[in-house]
Amino acid sequence: MPSVLIVHASRHGATAGIAERIAEVLQSTGVRTNVVDAAEMPDPAPFDACVIGGGVYMGKWVSSGTEFLDRFASTLATRPIWLFSSGPLPGSTKEPTAAVEDPIESALGPAQGPGSGGRRQIEELSERIHPRDHRVFFGAFDPSDPPRSMSERVVRMMPGSKGILPPGDFRDWPAIEAWARQIAGALSTEPVTL
Ligand SMILES: Cc1cc2nc3c(=O)[nH]c(=O)nc-3n(C[C@H](O)[C@H](O)[C@H](O)COP(=O)(O)O)c2cc1C
Protein backbone atom coordinates (compact mmCIF):
# COMPACT_ATOMS: atom_id res chain seq x y z
CA MET A 1 0.00 0.00 0.00
CA PRO A 2 1.67 3.28 -1.09
CA SER A 3 1.96 6.14 1.36
CA VAL A 4 1.60 9.77 0.29
CA LEU A 5 2.61 12.91 2.15
CA ILE A 6 0.22 15.80 1.37
CA VAL A 7 1.66 19.17 2.30
CA HIS A 8 -0.19 22.49 2.24
CA ALA A 9 0.98 26.08 2.54
CA SER A 10 -2.26 27.80 3.48
CA ARG A 11 -2.92 31.19 5.02
CA HIS A 12 -6.71 31.11 5.46
CA GLY A 13 -7.50 27.40 5.13
CA ALA A 14 -8.69 27.04 1.51
CA THR A 15 -5.52 25.24 0.40
CA ALA A 16 -5.55 23.05 3.51
CA GLY A 17 -9.13 22.05 2.66
CA ILE A 18 -8.11 21.01 -0.85
CA ALA A 19 -5.26 18.95 0.63
CA GLU A 20 -7.71 17.20 2.98
CA ARG A 21 -10.09 16.39 0.10
CA ILE A 22 -7.25 14.94 -1.99
CA ALA A 23 -6.32 12.81 1.03
CA GLU A 24 -9.89 11.51 1.36
CA VAL A 25 -9.97 10.46 -2.30
CA LEU A 26 -6.57 8.75 -2.08
CA GLN A 27 -7.59 6.96 1.13
CA SER A 28 -10.73 5.67 -0.57
CA THR A 29 -8.46 3.92 -3.08
CA GLY A 30 -6.37 2.30 -0.34
CA VAL A 31 -3.52 4.80 -0.26
CA ARG A 32 -2.15 5.80 3.17
CA THR A 33 -1.97 9.60 3.57
CA ASN A 34 -0.54 12.15 5.99
CA VAL A 35 -1.73 15.77 5.60
CA VAL A 36 0.74 18.23 7.13
CA ASP A 37 1.20 22.02 7.19
CA ALA A 38 4.33 23.00 5.22
CA ALA A 39 5.40 25.19 8.15
CA GLU A 40 6.05 21.97 10.11
CA MET A 41 8.60 20.97 7.43
CA PRO A 42 7.64 17.25 7.40
CA ASP A 43 10.42 15.03 6.03
CA PRO A 44 9.13 13.35 2.82
CA ALA A 45 11.77 10.60 3.01
CA PRO A 46 9.50 7.94 4.63
CA PHE A 47 6.81 8.39 1.95
CA ASP A 48 6.47 6.92 -1.55
CA ALA A 49 5.09 10.11 -3.12
CA CYS A 50 4.19 13.68 -2.24
CA VAL A 51 1.48 16.20 -3.17
CA ILE A 52 2.27 19.82 -2.32
CA GLY A 53 -0.17 22.72 -2.56
CA GLY A 54 0.35 26.46 -2.10
CA GLY A 55 -2.11 29.29 -1.63
CA VAL A 56 -1.22 32.18 -3.96
CA TYR A 57 -0.94 35.75 -2.72
CA MET A 58 0.23 38.57 -4.99
CA GLY A 59 1.51 36.05 -7.50
CA LYS A 60 3.53 33.98 -5.03
CA TRP A 61 3.00 30.80 -3.08
CA VAL A 62 2.70 31.15 0.70
CA SER A 63 6.40 31.08 1.58
CA SER A 64 6.37 27.93 3.75
CA GLY A 65 5.42 26.00 0.58
CA THR A 66 8.40 27.17 -1.46
CA GLU A 67 10.65 26.74 1.61
CA PHE A 68 9.48 23.13 1.90
CA LEU A 69 10.20 22.47 -1.82
CA ASP A 70 13.64 24.06 -1.50
CA ARG A 71 14.62 22.26 1.71
CA PHE A 72 13.61 18.79 0.54
CA ALA A 73 14.29 19.16 -3.20
CA SER A 74 16.82 16.32 -3.34
CA THR A 75 14.42 13.86 -1.65
CA LEU A 76 11.42 15.05 -3.67
CA ALA A 77 13.38 14.63 -6.92
CA THR A 78 13.52 10.87 -6.29
CA ARG A 79 9.77 10.43 -5.84
CA PRO A 80 6.59 11.06 -7.86
CA ILE A 81 5.51 14.60 -6.99
CA TRP A 82 2.37 16.58 -7.79
CA LEU A 83 1.94 20.34 -7.21
CA PHE A 84 -1.21 22.40 -7.00
CA SER A 85 -1.85 26.11 -6.56
CA SER A 86 -4.99 27.40 -4.89
CA GLY A 87 -5.50 30.76 -6.49
CA PRO A 88 -7.79 32.61 -8.75
CA LEU A 89 -11.16 33.83 -7.54
CA PRO A 90 -13.73 33.78 -10.38
CA GLY A 91 -14.68 37.27 -11.49
CA SER A 92 -11.38 38.75 -10.30
CA THR A 93 -8.62 39.99 -12.55
CA LYS A 94 -6.90 36.69 -11.66
CA GLU A 95 -9.56 34.59 -13.35
CA PRO A 96 -8.36 32.98 -16.61
CA THR A 97 -9.56 35.07 -19.55
CA ALA A 98 -9.35 34.74 -23.30
CA ALA A 99 -6.23 36.93 -23.09
CA VAL A 100 -4.64 34.78 -20.36
CA GLU A 101 -5.58 31.16 -21.04
CA ASP A 102 -2.75 29.60 -19.06
CA PRO A 103 -4.09 28.89 -15.54
CA ILE A 104 -0.55 29.06 -14.12
CA GLU A 105 -0.16 32.53 -15.59
CA SER A 106 -3.52 33.66 -14.26
CA ALA A 107 -2.52 32.57 -10.73
CA LEU A 108 1.23 33.19 -10.60
CA GLY A 109 1.75 35.79 -13.31
CA PRO A 110 3.82 35.93 -16.49
CA ALA A 111 6.87 33.78 -17.22
CA GLN A 112 9.11 36.81 -17.64
CA GLY A 113 9.26 40.52 -16.85
CA PRO A 114 7.44 42.50 -14.17
CA GLY A 115 5.41 40.34 -11.80
CA SER A 116 7.11 37.09 -12.85
CA GLY A 117 9.02 36.48 -9.58
CA GLY A 118 6.56 34.06 -7.96
CA ARG A 119 6.15 32.05 -11.13
CA ARG A 120 9.90 31.83 -11.78
CA GLN A 121 10.43 30.68 -8.18
CA ILE A 122 8.04 27.74 -8.73
CA GLU A 123 9.54 26.97 -12.15
CA GLU A 124 13.09 26.92 -10.76
CA LEU A 125 12.02 24.59 -7.95
CA SER A 126 10.14 22.42 -10.48
CA GLU A 127 13.33 22.03 -12.51
CA ARG A 128 14.92 20.50 -9.39
CA ILE A 129 12.06 18.20 -8.35
CA HIS A 130 10.37 17.36 -11.70
CA PRO A 131 6.69 17.29 -10.63
CA ARG A 132 4.35 15.09 -12.68
CA ASP A 133 1.85 17.94 -12.87
CA HIS A 134 1.11 21.42 -11.53
CA ARG A 135 -2.62 22.04 -11.36
CA VAL A 136 -4.32 25.36 -10.54
CA PHE A 137 -7.62 25.28 -8.64
CA PHE A 138 -9.96 28.16 -7.88
CA GLY A 139 -9.61 29.29 -4.26
CA ALA A 140 -11.69 30.91 -1.57
CA PHE A 141 -11.78 34.33 0.07
CA ASP A 142 -13.64 35.20 3.26
CA PRO A 143 -13.37 38.96 3.90
CA SER A 144 -14.47 38.47 7.52
CA ASP A 145 -11.28 36.45 8.20
CA PRO A 146 -8.70 39.09 9.25
CA PRO A 147 -5.60 39.58 7.04
CA ARG A 148 -2.56 37.57 8.15
CA SER A 149 0.16 39.81 6.71
CA MET A 150 0.83 43.50 6.22
CA SER A 151 0.80 43.19 2.40
CA GLU A 152 -2.54 41.38 2.53
CA ARG A 153 -3.93 44.14 4.73
CA VAL A 154 -2.71 46.76 2.23
CA VAL A 155 -4.22 44.95 -0.80
CA ARG A 156 -7.56 44.57 0.96
CA MET A 157 -7.65 48.31 1.75
CA MET A 158 -6.80 49.39 -1.82
CA PRO A 159 -9.56 51.17 -3.71
CA GLY A 160 -11.07 48.65 -6.11
CA SER A 161 -9.95 45.65 -4.05
CA LYS A 162 -13.54 44.36 -4.04
CA GLY A 163 -13.20 43.88 -7.81
CA ILE A 164 -10.01 41.84 -7.53
CA LEU A 165 -11.08 39.91 -4.42
CA PRO A 166 -14.63 38.58 -4.91
CA PRO A 167 -15.75 36.93 -1.67
CA GLY A 168 -16.80 33.29 -1.70
CA ASP A 169 -15.67 29.68 -1.77
CA PHE A 170 -14.96 28.78 -5.40
CA ARG A 171 -13.12 25.52 -4.83
CA ASP A 172 -14.11 23.15 -7.62
CA TRP A 173 -14.55 19.89 -5.70
CA PRO A 174 -15.34 17.70 -8.73
CA ALA A 175 -12.15 18.96 -10.48
CA ILE A 176 -10.11 18.44 -7.30
CA GLU A 177 -11.49 14.92 -6.79
CA ALA A 178 -10.89 14.03 -10.45
CA TRP A 179 -7.27 15.12 -10.15
CA ALA A 180 -6.86 13.10 -6.95
CA ARG A 181 -8.21 10.04 -8.76
CA GLN A 182 -5.62 10.60 -11.52
CA ILE A 183 -2.92 10.61 -8.85
CA ALA A 184 -4.34 7.40 -7.38
CA GLY A 185 -4.27 5.85 -10.85
CA ALA A 186 -0.64 6.82 -11.36
CA LEU A 187 0.31 5.43 -7.94
CA SER A 188 -1.36 2.12 -8.67
CA THR A 189 1.02 1.58 -11.60
CA GLU A 190 4.07 3.06 -9.86
CA PRO A 191 6.71 0.82 -8.30
CA VAL A 192 6.93 2.00 -4.69
CA THR A 193 10.19 0.35 -3.75
CA LEU A 194 12.57 3.10 -2.64
C1 LIG B 1 -4.72 39.77 -0.59
C2 LIG B 1 -4.95 38.62 -1.54
C3 LIG B 1 -4.13 38.46 -2.66
C4 LIG B 1 -4.33 37.39 -3.55
N1 LIG B 1 -3.51 37.26 -4.63
C5 LIG B 1 -3.72 36.23 -5.51
C6 LIG B 1 -2.89 36.06 -6.67
O1 LIG B 1 -1.95 36.80 -6.91
N2 LIG B 1 -3.16 35.03 -7.50
C7 LIG B 1 -4.19 34.17 -7.27
O2 LIG B 1 -4.41 33.26 -8.07
N3 LIG B 1 -4.98 34.27 -6.17
C8 LIG B 1 -4.77 35.30 -5.29
N4 LIG B 1 -5.56 35.41 -4.19
C9 LIG B 1 -6.59 34.41 -3.93
C10 LIG B 1 -6.07 33.34 -2.95
O3 LIG B 1 -4.96 32.70 -3.44
C11 LIG B 1 -7.14 32.30 -2.70
O4 LIG B 1 -8.11 32.96 -1.98
C12 LIG B 1 -6.60 31.06 -1.99
O5 LIG B 1 -7.55 30.02 -2.09
C13 LIG B 1 -6.27 31.30 -0.55
O6 LIG B 1 -5.71 30.13 0.02
P1 LIG B 1 -5.61 29.92 1.60
O7 LIG B 1 -7.00 30.11 2.19
O8 LIG B 1 -5.13 28.51 1.76
O9 LIG B 1 -4.63 30.90 2.15
C14 LIG B 1 -5.37 36.46 -3.29
C15 LIG B 1 -6.18 36.60 -2.16
C16 LIG B 1 -5.98 37.66 -1.29
C17 LIG B 1 -6.87 37.79 -0.07
Side-chain angles (χ1 to χ4, degrees):
M1 182 193 288
S3 63
V4 177
L5 175 64
I6 304 177
V7 177
H8 55 80
S10 183
R11 212 182 262 174
H12 291 280
T15 315
I18 294 172
E20 294 285 357
R21 185 65 61 92
I22 291 168
E24 284 166 22
V25 172
L26 292 181
Q27 282 163 20
S28 73
T29 68
V31 173
R32 277 185 290 126
T33 61
N34 271 39
V35 181
V36 186
D37 187 334
E40 292 178 28
M41 292 293 149
D43 185 352
F47 297 88
D48 299 310
C50 191
V51 179
I52 307 113
V56 184
Y57 289 86
M58 278 74 87
K60 286 189 161 186
W61 266 30
V62 171
S63 60
S64 56
T66 44
E67 281 160 25
F68 172 82
L69 295 178
D70 180 53
R71 182 178 303 188
F72 294 108
S74 57
T75 305
L76 296 171
T78 61
R79 284 155 174 76
I81 299 301
W82 287 266
L83 302 182
F84 71 89
S85 292
S86 138
L89 303 166
S92 80
T93 51
K94 294 290 181 186
E95 185 181 10
T97 63
V100 181
E101 281 176 3
D102 175 6
I104 298 216
E105 177 154 351
S106 68
L108 290 164
Q112 292 170 21
S116 61
R119 166 126 173 226
R120 279 189 285 116
Q121 188 181 29
I122 292 291
E123 286 178 352
E124 282 161 20
L125 288 161
S126 295
E127 278 168 24
R128 292 163 62 196
I129 62 174
H130 307 293
R132 302 288 171 99
D133 192 12
H134 179 178
R135 193 61 66 93
V136 175
F137 295 116
F138 285 130
F141 173 53
D142 176 1
S144 68
D145 194 7
R148 304 275 163 91
S149 76
M150 185 54 79
S151 60
E152 197 186 332
R153 187 183 303 274
V154 170
V155 172
R156 288 200 198 186
M157 281 176 359
M158 275 170 21
S161 69
K162 285 196 171 61
I164 57 170
L165 295 174
D169 185 345
F170 305 101
R171 289 172 293 178
D172 184 345
W173 299 116
I176 291 162
E177 288 164 5
W179 190 62
R181 284 192 295 274
Q182 279 179 30
I183 294 174
L187 289 170
S188 68
T189 56
E190 196 77 39
V192 291
T193 44
L194 290 165

